[in-house]
Amino acid sequence: KEVPFSKKMSQFHLLINFLVNPENYGGFFNLNIGLEYVMSHIKKDALIFIVSDFISPFGWEENLKIVCKKYDVIGVMVRDPRDLTLPDTGGEVVLTDPYTKENITIEPKKIRKEYEMEVKRQIEYIKNQFLETNSDFMHLVTNKDFFGPLLGLFQQRQKKLR
């Protein structure tokens, strides 16, 4: 979503409303399509928010580097707590890949720790993709307050600009 620049507080509220709207989540995700749109349609010197759960195939890193060189970028990862761990249940669970529609049967108790370690590794990898380009990054979880961390990020950015 494109929003013209303004120093008014209404833009901050627009961002908060976007982040908490459940209709903005779910469905197919391809970061490359969004990054290519930014590179071809947005004027230089824009502030770009990339808001996503970043649960997708990789391969967007080069386009991210290009966008981060051209624009001021803030990556905002929004994850549901259920994305971070597997249920602590016995038995088998069938998972479906949203991209390939392929099913896999797992036993959550047996792979829970490995899954959590892989999620942490992926989050750290994505965070580093932003930080290595001198962009900002924040990780939000849907069951926790968005307002405080987002306001803190803006205050931190304001101090850097002084």
Side-chain angles (χ1 to χ4, degrees):
K1 181 173 184 169
E2 282 185 58
V3 180
F5 175 76
S6 169
K7 290 186 177 183
K8 294 181 181 177
M9 198 62 177
S10 61
Q11 282 201 310
F12 182 75
H13 292 290
L14 181 68
L15 177 62
I16 292 292
N17 288 335
F18 179 84
L19 288 173
V20 299
N21 184 348
E23 292 178 13
N24 293 325
Y25 300 95
F28 180 74
F29 167 71
N30 184 333
L31 185 54
N32 268 327
I33 292 171
L35 293 171
E36 288 168 5
Y37 176 86
V38 167
M39 290 186 285
S40 62
H41 290 85
I42 307 295
K43 293 182 223 169
K44 249 186 167 182
D45 300 324
L47 174 60
I48 307 295
F49 284 90
I50 300 174
V51 180
S52 173
D53 61 9
F54 294 93
I55 299 174
S56 78
F58 290 98
W60 43 261
E61 295 87 346
E62 269 316 300
N63 279 340
L64 180 68
K65 288 177 186 172
I66 294 167
V67 167
C68 289
K69 284 181 183 172
K70 191 174 178 183
Y71 306 97
D72 186 7
V73 177
I74 299 174
V76 182
M77 178 186 286
V78 182
R79 294 264 176 114
D80 187 275
R82 293 175 291 185
D83 296 331
L84 307 175
T85 189
L86 293 173
D88 191 17
T89 61
E92 296 179 339
V93 175
V94 177
L95 303 175
T96 303
D97 184 311
Y99 301 102
T100 66
K101 304 300 180 204
E102 200 174 305
N103 289 332
I104 185 172
T105 303
I106 64 164
E107 292 184 51
K109 271 191 172 180
K110 288 186 177 180
I111 64 168
R112 187 174 187 190
K113 292 222 184 300
E114 291 88 352
Y115 177 85
E116 289 171 356
M117 287 187 332
E118 178 61 19
V119 167
K120 287 177 185 173
R121 188 196 65 73
Q122 287 180 1
I123 291 170
E124 195 63 27
Y125 174 80
I126 293 164
K127 175 183 174 181
N128 287 335
Q129 293 301 303
F130 283 90
L131 298 181
E132 287 171 4
T133 60
N134 295 318
S135 298
D136 289 312
F137 179 84
M138 65 184 317
H139 178 202
L140 302 173
V141 183
T142 58
N143 66 343
K144 295 190 177 159
D145 175 46
F146 282 22
F147 186 82
L150 199 54
L151 185 59
L153 175 69
F154 288 134
Q155 289 170 336
Q156 181 183 1
R157 287 174 56 86
Q158 189 175 26
K159 287 178 187 175
K160 279 197 279 186
L161 294 175
R162 289 182 190 174

